[in-house]
Amino acid sequence: MAPETDIATSTVITGQLEATGPLPLLIEPAADRNWRNCFDEIKAVIDARLEQVGGVLLRGFEVGGEQDFQAFAKAFGHDLLSYDYASTPRSQVEGKVYTSTEYPAHQVIPLHNEQAYTLAWPMKIWFCSITAAEEGGETPIADSRKVYQQIDPAIRDKFAQRKLMYVRNYGNGLDLPWQKAFSTEDKATVEQFCRDNQIEFEWKGDGELRTRQVCQAMAIHPRTGEPVWFNQAHLFHVSNLQPHVRETLISIVGEDNLPRNVYYGDGSPIEEADLAHVRQVLDACQVQFRWQPGDIMMLDNMLAAHGRSTFKGERKVVVAMAEPHR
Ligand SMILES: [Fe+2]
C-alpha cells in the first residue's frame, strides 16, 4: 500500500497490488460489495485518477456475470462499441460484451493498445474475469507513456515520422475471413467502411480481400497531452511469427499474401532489430497480477497497453469498449 496516494471514501478504498505497483490502481469496497451502491464513489475515484495511473482494478465487488459487467461498463454513461474491423477472433457473449481474443492457451498475446492498428480506437476498455485460469492467463499491462519514453529516441522518431502501413490478407484459412473482420456478408459495406476509414482495399482474383492502411506509430493523448507509443507493429510484423512458421508461410503464399504484415508508411521494410528493441521495452514495462473471479479492470486504452499470458485450465475474460476516438 502507498498511503499517500490512497483515497478512502465511505464506500470504497484505493490502494495498490504488491505485484504491480501503482498501475493498476486497486479499488475495493469498504463494506458493501454491491457495486451499484458504491458506483458514484467508484466513478469519482476513476474520474480523478484514471488519467494519472492509466488503469484501475476493481476487486471484491459482486459482479454477477456478463450482463452485470455490461451494466457496469455502461454505467459510465457511454454507448459500448462493437468490434468492427477486428484483428482477432472473438465471440459476442452479451450485447456489446465480447470474449477476449480466442487464441490457443499456449500462445502469448503481446502487449498492445486496442485497435492501435487503425485510425479510430476506443478510449476506454474494460475486462472482467468470469473464470480465472488454473494457471497463468493474466492480462499483463504496461504504461504506454513509459513505453514511449523508454524506446530509443532515434527509433521512436523514425517510426513517428515514417508512420506504419498495416497490410492484411483475410480468409484463405490463414486469418479471419473478411466477413468476420467487418461483421458483414456484403462487399459494398466493406468497401464503404474502408473508404470512410482511409483503408485501401483490393479484391483479389480468388475473391479474398487485401487491405492496406497507413497509421500512427505514436499518439498524443487528447486530454493529458502526453505522448504514447501507439501501434501494433510488433504484432503485425512477420517477425512476430515463429521462424519455421514464417518460412513456411512465405514459401506457400508469398510475402504479399501473408495474413498480416507491417511496413513503414511508404511501404519500405521495418528493421527487425528495431522491433526487437520495442519488444524488449514492452517486456521491461510489463506488470501483471493473478485474476480473481469478478475482477474488473478498466484501462484508458491510450495510456495503458494490455496482453495475455499463456494459461492452463478454463479461462474466461470478457471485454467491453467505449468512447471512440479518431
Ligand atoms: Fe486486445
Side-chain angles (χ1 to χ4, degrees):
M1 291 276 181
E4 70 279 9
T5 62
D6 293 353
I7 300 174
T9 69
S10 57
T11 62
V12 301
I13 302 167
T14 69
Q16 61 183 49
L17 295 170
E18 224 167 277
T20 60
L23 172 69
L25 176 76
L26 180 63
I27 305 178
E28 293 176 296
D32 187 349
R33 298 180 59 230
N34 183 331
W35 64 262
R36 285 178 174 81
N37 297 339
C38 321
F39 188 75
D40 288 348
E41 290 190 338
I42 291 175
K43 186 169 181 299
V45 170
I46 290 175
D47 286 347
R49 300 293 306 279
L50 186 65
E51 285 174 2
Q52 198 185 341
V53 287
V56 301
L57 173 66
L58 292 112
R59 173 166 283 175
F61 294 95
E62 276 161 7
V63 181
E66 288 90 333
Q67 213 170 355
D68 202 25
F69 165 61
Q70 172 161 278
F72 177 82
K74 269 188 166 168
F76 287 85
H78 297 274
D79 290 339
L80 300 183
L81 303 174
S82 42
Y83 243 107
D84 290 332
Y85 193 41
S87 74
T88 59
R90 302 167 179 275
S91 319
Q92 208 162 348
V93 289
E94 167 71 44
K96 296 279 172 67
V97 172
Y98 296 82
T99 59
S100 53
T101 291
E102 292 158 357
Y103 277 169
H106 67 272
Q107 231 171 302
V108 167
I109 301 178
L111 288 170
H112 61 280
N113 306 83
E114 205 60 33
Q115 298 194 308
Y117 55 80
T118 183
L119 297 172
W121 52 82
M123 287 301 291
K124 300 282 161 40
I125 184 164
W126 293 264
F127 302 84
C128 179
S129 168
I130 303 288
T131 311
E134 238 164 75
E135 217 177 278
E138 294 89 350
T139 299
I141 52 177
D143 186 324
S144 298
R145 295 165 288 200
K146 211 163 128 187
V147 174
Y148 178 84
Q149 287 154 15
Q150 290 192 13
I151 289 177
D152 177 342
I155 295 176
R156 210 165 66 186
D157 294 347
K158 183 163 58 176
F159 273 65
Q161 281 161 18
R162 298 179 71 176
K163 298 191 172 175
L164 297 164
M165 182 198 282
Y166 295 90
V167 182
R168 298 177 62 179
N169 285 282
Y170 304 82
N172 272 330
L174 295 172
D175 209 332
L176 280 187
W178 60 263
Q179 293 90 336
K180 190 111 184 151
F182 292 87
S183 325
T184 178
E185 297 284 326
D186 180 35
K187 288 189 173 179
T189 307
V190 172
E191 293 174 5
Q192 195 53 50
F193 182 90
C194 289
R195 280 188 211 102
D196 292 345
N197 290 279
Q198 298 164 55
I199 300 167
E200 246 183 80
F201 62 90
E202 182 187 336
W203 297 102
K204 299 188 284 185
D206 57 2
E208 295 288 5
L209 175 68
R210 176 185 296 139
T211 58
R212 291 191 183 84
Q213 189 177 26
V214 176
C215 298
Q216 67 290 324
M218 59 81 68
I220 303 288
H221 192 281
R223 287 170 48 87
T224 73
E226 296 161 299
V228 293
W229 189 248
F230 199 75
N231 67 72
Q232 292 194 8
H234 61 293
L235 263 92
F236 273 72
H237 193 264
V238 65
S239 60
N240 189 38
L241 299 173
Q242 296 289 329
H244 67 280
V245 177
R246 172 180 181 167
E247 230 170 88
T248 312
L249 257 184
I250 292 180
S251 73
I252 297 171
V253 298
E255 191 175 313
D256 286 351
N257 290 306
L258 286 173
R260 54 186 74 190
N261 203 357
V262 61
Y263 302 87
Y264 284 120
D266 61 4
S268 59
I270 299 173
E271 293 79 0
E272 292 190 23
D274 292 355
L275 289 169
H277 169 71
V278 168
R279 291 187 183 104
Q280 245 167 23
V281 171
L282 286 166
D283 280 350
C285 293
Q286 171 171 312
V287 293
Q288 64 179 26
F289 59 89
R290 298 267 319 143
W291 277 121
Q292 293 179 11
D295 278 355
I296 292 179
M297 180 162 69
M298 176 175 178
L299 302 178
D300 179 307
N301 184 41
M302 290 189 75
L303 298 181
H306 63 273
R308 192 203 70 191
S309 305
T310 59
F311 63 95
K312 284 197 181 129
E314 212 183 308
R315 174 189 191 268
K316 189 172 194 186
V317 172
V318 293
V319 180
M321 305 178 299
E323 293 179 58
H325 175 73
R326 200 174 271 262

